[in-house]
Amino acid sequence: MNLIRPGFLFLQRRVRPEFSLADLLGGGAGVVRHDEWVALAPHLGREVVLEAADIPVFEVVTPGQARPRAELAALFGEARIDRLVDAGLLIGDHAEHQPLRAREQALRETAWWGPAALAQVFGSWRDVDVEADESRDGGRSWKEMIGTHGPPPPEAPELRPRTSWQALPMPGRSALGALLETRSTCRNFDRSHPLPLADASTILHRVFGAQATQTVAPDVVALKKNSPSGGGLHPVEAFVLVQDVDGLAPGLYHYHGVAHALVPLRLLEEDAIAPLAGELVAGQSWFANAPVLVLMAARFQRTFWKYRQHAKAWRVILLDAGHLSQNFQLAATELGYGAFVTAAINDDCAERLFELDGISTGAIAVCGFGRRSDSAANIEFDPLGKAVR
Ligand SMILES: Cc1cc2nc3c(=O)[nH]c(=O)nc-3n(C[C@H](O)[C@H](O)[C@H](O)COP(=O)(O)O)c2cc1C
């Protein structure tokens, strides 16, 4: 077997506190602190605790040039090399490591900037249930948080004495101003009857649809959308989970923004889709109930084609998703619907449902919309009292 080191490998020196009965019985605080090395490699997506003596192995093995396992075992000992292979930190050419090699290759070919790859992959959730966690641990009230952390930074920073401030005239009334005031996150959906297809279609077109296309170079088609996009590449795609839309079979779709068409990926019974919606939005039942959910997933490869291993490229993609989510809320609000965006999603579920590898294309956030329910069982923030019910 030949072994390589992964192209992206970050080491963190970390202090891990651990409960210790012996320490407690000996008159201590009952907590011992372990100082340890942790390896973070995006092709793995999970942390691996290292021994200090593992680190020199990574000086000898390079990403580009494979070394025979036997040679490394002779240098560092069989047990150490086998442990690093089992952990996936040394990648072999054997069948078992095929998925790791594929992820490693995808990371390289997608032209990720290493720290961004780390944040994207390690920020990914699997099997998180926000609502269950909150009911188990108790939601944290403002008061509790202030008790633990002190008050938050003030709502608006004051950088100079007030006497120096220049007061500004208030804006006049406008249709845009009124629309913006009407938007507020919806956490209570009315599912008594299906959504009209025309409304879902309008929202998808306004937010994710190409308003125009232009061939700017051979094989390069620029899209004009209703929101800006770093590098003009519009890498964020809409993957739609339909629960209840008139004339649309419940299921999973990709929205083709140029053709303005839904591409069915997997059609499902309505009762089969509800648990998937719940898993997708990490158990947040107040969002899972929306008749339409839209996963915003980035084709990182498209933006990184231009901005290769670029320190700002990932940031630009997240900003793109932010613009899209605001447009989504505005487009839904204009039609009288409630909408939301959440980043608290199980990326693993998103990627499984919509067949994404998480590296060349990965989940960013989920938006959803629907009719607002009359009853506000879940908390909403509408101090202006303008949300349309
Ligand atoms: C990126 C992003 C992520 C959010 N994630 C959640 C979430 O996970 N759960 C939730 O209930 N609300 C979520 N929200 C909604 C915010 O709580 C909400 O926007 C905020 O409280 C302000 O209220 P408003 O949108 O009604 O003005 C998110 C908002 C944004 C912009």
Side-chain angles (χ1 to χ4, degrees):
M1 185 197 300
N2 291 311
L3 299 171
I4 55 163
R5 184 183 84 201
F8 296 111
L9 175 63
F10 297 83
L11 301 184
Q12 186 186 9
R13 187 74 176 153
R14 200 171 58 184
V15 175
R16 178 171 52 87
E18 197 177 82
F19 171 72
S20 163
L21 186 61
D23 183 74
L24 195 67
L25 295 175
V31 178
V32 288
R33 301 169 85 78
H34 298 280
D35 213 1
E36 63 192 12
W37 283 107
V38 181
L40 301 146
H43 77 294
L44 281 182
R46 62 184 161 73
E47 300 177 355
V48 180
V49 176
L50 293 180
E51 294 172 7
D54 293 337
I55 294 171
V57 177
F58 301 112
E59 290 173 12
V60 171
V61 192
T62 64
Q65 205 181 358
R67 299 281 299 260
R69 181 201 157 278
E71 198 180 300
L72 295 171
L75 282 172
F76 296 101
E78 302 263 339
R80 186 173 309 286
I81 297 303
D82 287 348
R83 188 165 42 74
L84 293 174
V85 171
D86 288 347
L89 286 177
L90 291 177
I91 305 174
D93 50 9
H94 54 311
E96 209 181 307
H97 272 192
Q98 166 51 28
L100 294 186
R101 287 199 301 278
R103 281 176 67 82
E104 167 70 9
Q105 188 180 349
L107 278 160
R108 224 176 324 111
E109 289 178 358
T110 304
W112 274 95
W113 180 56
L118 198 66
Q120 175 68 23
V121 170
F122 279 85
S124 163
W125 281 4
R126 170 192 295 230
D127 295 336
V128 174
D129 189 323
V130 171
E131 204 171 329
D133 291 352
E134 274 184 9
S135 62
R136 191 192 56 231
D137 306 335
R140 286 173 307 155
S141 67
W142 296 119
K143 206 170 150 202
E144 277 170 328
M145 285 191 284
I146 292 166
T148 316
H149 308 297
E155 64 282 11
E158 300 192 2
L159 304 183
R160 294 286 184 278
R162 287 183 175 213
T163 48
S164 67
W165 295 4
Q166 168 72 58
L168 294 172
M170 288 303 283
R173 300 184 70 76
S174 77
L176 176 62
L179 180 64
L180 288 166
E181 283 178 356
T182 317
R183 182 216 62 84
S184 74
T185 296
C186 178
R187 296 190 184 84
N188 299 280
F189 290 99
D190 169 9
R191 286 286 298 276
S192 57
H193 42 295
L195 284 181
L197 176 61
D199 289 348
S201 172
T202 298
I203 292 169
L204 287 171
H205 189 261
R206 295 221 161 111
V207 182
F208 299 104
Q211 310 301 314
T213 62
Q214 196 173 314
T215 302
V216 291
D219 295 326
V220 185
V221 176
L223 305 177
K224 179 67 189 167
K225 293 199 179 181
N226 286 337
S227 54
S229 175
L233 290 159
H234 291 285
V236 178
E237 293 293 312
F239 289 89
V240 188
L241 187 154
V242 172
Q243 302 207 80
D244 199 11
V245 178
D246 220 3
L248 262 189
L252 308 172
Y253 297 81
H254 171 242
Y255 173 69
H256 194 292
V258 176
H260 182 50
L262 282 174
V263 180
L265 302 177
R266 186 147 64 102
L267 301 181
L268 292 152
E269 296 299 323
E270 208 178 323
D271 55 354
I273 206 147
L276 297 180
E279 188 188 349
L280 180 63
V281 293
Q284 300 181 85
S285 59
W286 49 92
F287 289 155
N289 194 33
V292 174
L293 298 172
V294 178
L295 168 73
M296 294 189 289
R299 286 191 295 154
F300 300 113
Q301 213 161 21
R302 187 163 157 85
T303 296
F304 301 168
W305 167 78
K306 179 171 178 181
Y307 300 118
R308 306 188 77 78
Q309 287 105 25
H310 197 294
K312 300 291 182 190
W314 186 61
R315 189 189 295 197
V316 154
I317 292 174
L318 302 187
L319 287 168
D320 274 24
H323 300 134
L324 291 163
S325 81
Q326 171 74 352
N327 276 2
F328 187 91
Q329 296 200 27
L330 292 180
T333 303
E334 193 197 22
L335 295 181
Y337 294 108
F340 69 85
V341 60
T342 175
I345 61 170
N346 279 314
D347 309 64
D348 176 68
C349 168
E351 289 160 12
R352 188 183 79 238
L353 293 184
F354 294 106
E355 301 161 30
L356 317 173
D357 69 1
I359 290 180
S360 63
T361 306
I364 306 287
V366 168
C367 299
F369 81 98
R371 228 171 261 110
R372 264 184 207 270
S373 165
D374 287 339
S375 64
N378 298 304
I379 195 161
E380 292 178 355
F381 183 61
D382 183 25
L384 294 170
K386 296 208 169 168
V388 178
R389 293 206 173 270

